[in-house]
Amino acid sequence: LGGGLSIITGAIAGVPAVALSGPNAMLSRKSFDPQVSAEQLNSKTFNIIPERDVVPMIDDPAQNYQSIRCEADFADFIGCHDSTRSLCEILYTCGNDNRPIPCECHTLYNYPQPVQTAASNRTFAEACGLAEA
């Protein structure tokens, strides 16, 4: 719901808006009051769309969007509509610039454990409470 509101509000207010897994609005834009133009959607909105996410499939995307992978099980109907899973995909695909990776990326979604850097004094397992006592 938040991504769809971001897209519509950004287009109407004329301010840049980013959505994660938001329902697109290119076909439904004329049903809003006030109506939203294709130009407003194309110039002010950006949607991050995980593959197989059913929510963004509700409507056609505007010009600016980025598709990302989703490694959820194919039997998991809404597994690709998960903001934490999408964040993990973005971090592992684009890089994290030495910022911490959420523990859930490894523990829930099976991404590999990040490599410990020289700047860190704890291992990933220690930081996530996975280390044996």
Side-chain angles (χ1 to χ4, degrees):
L1 182 60
L5 291 174
S6 174
I7 289 171
I8 295 164
T9 303
I12 290 173
V15 296
V18 176
L20 176 59
S21 298
N24 292 295
M26 199 52 109
L27 297 176
S28 58
R29 63 188 167 81
K30 291 184 178 179
S31 68
F32 303 124
D33 186 17
Q35 289 187 1
V36 177
S37 71
E39 173 57 28
Q40 288 171 301
L41 289 170
N42 286 334
S43 66
K44 297 299 179 187
T45 66
F46 183 82
N47 198 5
I48 301 167
I49 303 175
E51 64 186 3
R52 299 189 340 265
D53 185 350
V54 296
V55 174
M57 293 180 193
I58 292 173
D59 203 329
D60 288 346
Q63 173 179 302
N64 300 315
Y65 68 93
Q66 179 63 54
S67 298
I68 62 172
R69 289 182 311 181
C70 176
E71 299 294 331
D73 188 276
F74 281 90
D76 187 353
F77 179 69
I78 59 168
C80 292
H81 191 73
D82 183 307
S83 60
T84 304
R85 182 188 302 273
S86 294
L87 173 64
C88 294
E89 180 62 30
I90 292 167
L91 289 171
Y92 276 88
T93 301
C94 302
N96 64 342
D97 199 27
N98 291 323
R99 291 180 181 88
I101 297 287
C103 299
E104 293 85 351
C105 294
H106 175 69
T107 60
L108 295 178
Y109 305 117
N110 298 316
Y111 284 90
Q113 286 188 16
V115 177
Q116 184 176 359
T117 64
S120 175
N121 60 357
R122 296 191 302 173
T123 66
F124 182 80
E126 291 169 340
C128 293
L130 305 174
E132 294 183 23

